[in-house]
Amino acid sequence: PQGIGSPSVYHAVIVIFLEFFAWGLLTAPTLVVLHETFPKHTFLMNGLIQGVKGLLSFLSAPLIGALSDVWGRKSFLLLTVFFTCAPIPLMKISPWWYFAVISVSGVFAVTFSVVFAYVADITQEHERSMAYGLVSATFAASLVTSPAIGAYLGRVYGDSLVVVLATAIALLDICFILVAVPESLPEKMRPASWGAPISWEQADPFASLKKVGQDSIVLLICITVFLSYLPEAGQYSSFFLYLRQIMGFSSESVAAFIAVLGILSIIAQTIVLSLLMRSIGNKNTILLGLGFQILQLAWYGFGSEPWMMWAAGAVAAMSSITFPAVSALVSRTADADQQGVVQGMITGIRGLCNGLGPALYGFIFYIFHVELNELPMPESPAGGGVVTQYHLQQNSIIPGPPFLFGACSVLLALLVALFIPEHTNLNLRSSNWKKHCGSHGHPHSPQAPGEAKEPLLQDTNV
């Protein structure tokens, strides 16, 4: 097979690290270009761009996954990385085209799905969780380090150098896939005909969501995930712009905030999560995580000082324990042969939220007239900028309306989660699951269970 050596998890890890390191470098320049390109309705346009990208990713992910079962993983790794990174050089060439291509690139912004399928091809089932954890940790490492490096280089040498460097790293990633990554899907796993095996059921993005209402416990879990992840997805899309332009954070401060939040989240999702799961149980861990998320969003919504953002960020790290605790509860609730089905429902709901959340946040910013029209340009002295921004904040009782809306949404999620039972009788539910879900298997999807258990961080969160 083409590539260097035999397929390994390290090939996938390098692909993920290079792609998101390139995008992480552009965190600070993107916030500046976004404000300069859309000075009238910055938050609204940001929400629409990220929302279109998220919805396209949600719609295309099952089709690309099914096609990769037929044509192999390497070609789709190349395709997804190329189109995901295609907007990068356009930032300095044409900002309008840059944001337009970002929106359209959502069709191929599913590198994680292909990477998890690649990992599933080459690992045994008992090794898979460790391999997925390594991929997620690599993603987090790139996100923790690259924004700070990009902000420093932009301040010293200018944003043009940052764009050139990010483009070079993206090209390096593409060359690495072409030259070094071997194909992971054996020829014997592929069907004889390329066109025949793809059915609408495999490509239907709503296929997993249609099964949600067939079990009351899974329905409660899915409603909880939707109500809690919808504001989280919206927050990811707009929060760094909010810090930069409304709260008066410098590019370096935003990068430091990302790094600190990333490190605290990693600690919370490993050490703290394991301690809580052993001491207070699965359901109570979910409720605690939702409680932290309500506090964090309310703090963001009413906070008007930079130190409040830092304090709320520490709480946000603790709220990141919710989703892994939900995934663990789901895995205990479902039978062994239905793990992929129920985890796929959760992943599908999160994918839908990645499209709806950013658009919702942008619209709420717009209807509450949280705009940047009177703000000075980023080149002005930091002191003057902060005074003007705080003066604007004093005119509003709620500085961040979408975050307060998000807190109300998570409060509803908390109330729903109270009705989720801690323990269920798996034997009674076995026949129910098989009756509803047994006919939905895909003949050419060996990676489905692994692909469904997608880790916390997704492409569209960046």
Side-chain angles (χ1 to χ4, degrees):
Q2 295 179 347
I4 298 176
S6 58
S8 70
V9 177
Y10 299 106
H11 288 102
V13 162
I14 293 173
V15 170
I16 285 291
F17 182 83
L18 291 176
E19 176 180 338
F20 290 102
F21 191 87
W23 273 109
L25 289 173
L26 298 178
T27 301
T30 297
L31 300 182
V32 175
V33 172
L34 184 65
H35 178 38
E36 292 175 349
T37 308
F38 307 108
K40 296 290 186 183
H41 305 299
T42 309
F43 285 102
L44 178 63
M45 293 306 300
N46 176 66
L48 291 177
I49 291 166
Q50 298 298 329
V52 169
K53 180 181 178 182
L55 282 175
L56 289 177
S57 298
F58 167 71
L59 295 174
S60 65
L63 176 61
I64 291 180
L67 290 174
S68 73
D69 291 341
V70 180
W71 295 340
R73 315 297 183 201
K74 179 171 179 173
S75 56
F76 280 90
L77 278 177
L78 187 64
L79 192 70
T80 55
V81 171
F82 176 81
F83 281 100
T84 303
C85 295
I88 291 177
L90 296 175
M91 177 181 282
K92 288 299 180 182
I93 299 173
S94 172
W96 277 92
W97 275 106
Y98 170 70
F99 291 113
V101 175
I102 282 180
S103 298
V104 179
S105 71
V107 174
F108 298 99
V110 290
T111 309
F112 262 108
S113 296
V114 183
V115 163
F116 295 145
Y118 189 97
V119 171
D121 292 338
I122 59 179
T123 56
Q124 300 297 324
E125 189 171 349
H126 66 277
E127 304 170 330
R128 211 157 286 163
S129 296
M130 183 77 70
Y132 287 159
L134 183 60
V135 172
S136 295
T138 302
F139 174 89
S142 67
L143 194 63
V144 165
T145 55
S146 54
I149 296 173
Y152 172 77
L153 293 176
R155 180 171 56 84
V156 176
Y157 301 105
D159 289 345
S160 296
L161 176 69
V162 180
V163 174
V164 170
L165 179 60
T167 304
I169 292 174
L171 290 174
L172 176 63
D173 197 11
I174 292 170
C175 293
F176 176 78
I177 296 172
L178 280 171
V179 176
V181 176
E183 176 57 57
S184 65
L185 189 66
E187 287 289 343
K188 63 182 180 181
M189 294 290 293
R190 306 187 201 180
S193 171
W194 280 22
I198 302 300
S199 66
W200 167 245
E201 186 181 4
Q202 288 172 274
D204 183 8
F206 298 97
S208 63
L209 300 183
K210 292 174 183 176
K211 307 183 188 77
V212 167
Q214 295 173 353
D215 186 279
S216 58
I217 297 173
V218 173
L219 177 62
L220 290 173
I221 294 173
C222 288
I223 293 174
T224 301
V225 170
F226 180 80
L227 291 174
S228 62
Y229 193 71
L230 184 68
E232 187 175 339
Q235 175 186 329
Y236 282 145
S237 69
S238 61
F239 187 62
F240 300 133
L241 176 66
Y242 181 78
L243 290 180
R244 180 77 173 86
Q245 303 290 358
I246 300 297
M247 299 307 301
F249 276 47
S250 65
S251 298
E252 292 80 7
S253 298
V254 172
F257 189 94
I258 295 172
V260 171
L261 191 60
I263 293 170
L264 291 177
S265 296
I266 292 172
I267 295 172
Q269 292 170 24
T270 53
I271 300 171
V272 177
L273 179 62
S274 62
L275 292 174
L276 289 174
M277 294 281 277
R278 285 198 302 266
S279 58
I280 65 174
N282 207 321
K283 177 182 175 180
N284 290 331
T285 301
I286 295 173
L287 297 177
L288 184 64
L290 292 173
F292 277 116
Q293 189 178 359
I294 294 171
L295 177 61
Q296 160 225 337
L297 288 168
W299 210 335
Y300 283 152
F302 288 112
S304 58
E305 301 284 343
W307 70 265
M308 296 181 180
M309 300 296 105
W310 285 98
V315 178
M318 278 300 300
S319 70
S320 66
I321 65 175
T322 303
F323 187 69
V326 168
S327 297
L329 182 63
V330 166
S331 68
R332 287 175 47 199
T333 302
D335 294 324
D337 60 343
Q338 297 299 331
Q339 292 293 319
V341 175
V342 291
Q343 297 283 359
M345 294 180 197
I346 304 300
T347 303
I349 288 173
R350 284 166 61 88
L352 190 61
C353 290
N354 282 325
L356 299 176
L360 181 64
Y361 264 51
F363 180 69
I364 295 175
F365 272 123
Y366 174 72
I367 61 176
F368 277 88
H369 307 291
V370 180
E371 293 296 344
L372 313 176
N373 301 347
E374 302 174 39
L375 293 181
M377 296 304 290
E379 292 81 19
S380 62
V386 172
V387 171
T388 307
Q389 288 158 352
Y390 288 163
H391 175 70
L392 290 177
Q393 295 252 337
Q394 291 169 0
N395 296 330
S396 175
I397 299 175
I398 305 174
F403 303 113
L404 197 61
F405 169 83
C408 296
S409 177
V410 180
L411 179 60
L412 292 177
L414 180 66
L415 296 176
V416 173
L418 289 172
F419 294 96
I420 300 174
E422 177 72 40
H423 302 286
T424 58
N425 190 333
L426 298 182
N427 293 328
L428 291 177
R429 305 179 60 246
S430 176
S431 59
N432 185 45
W433 271 107
K434 292 176 181 176
K435 178 178 68 176
H436 288 295
C437 305
S439 62
H440 292 279
H442 297 163
H444 302 292
S445 301
Q447 89 285 4
E451 185 175 278
K453 295 179 185 177
E454 187 163 343
L456 300 178
L457 303 171
Q458 298 180 3
D459 303 29
T460 48
N461 297 154
V462 178

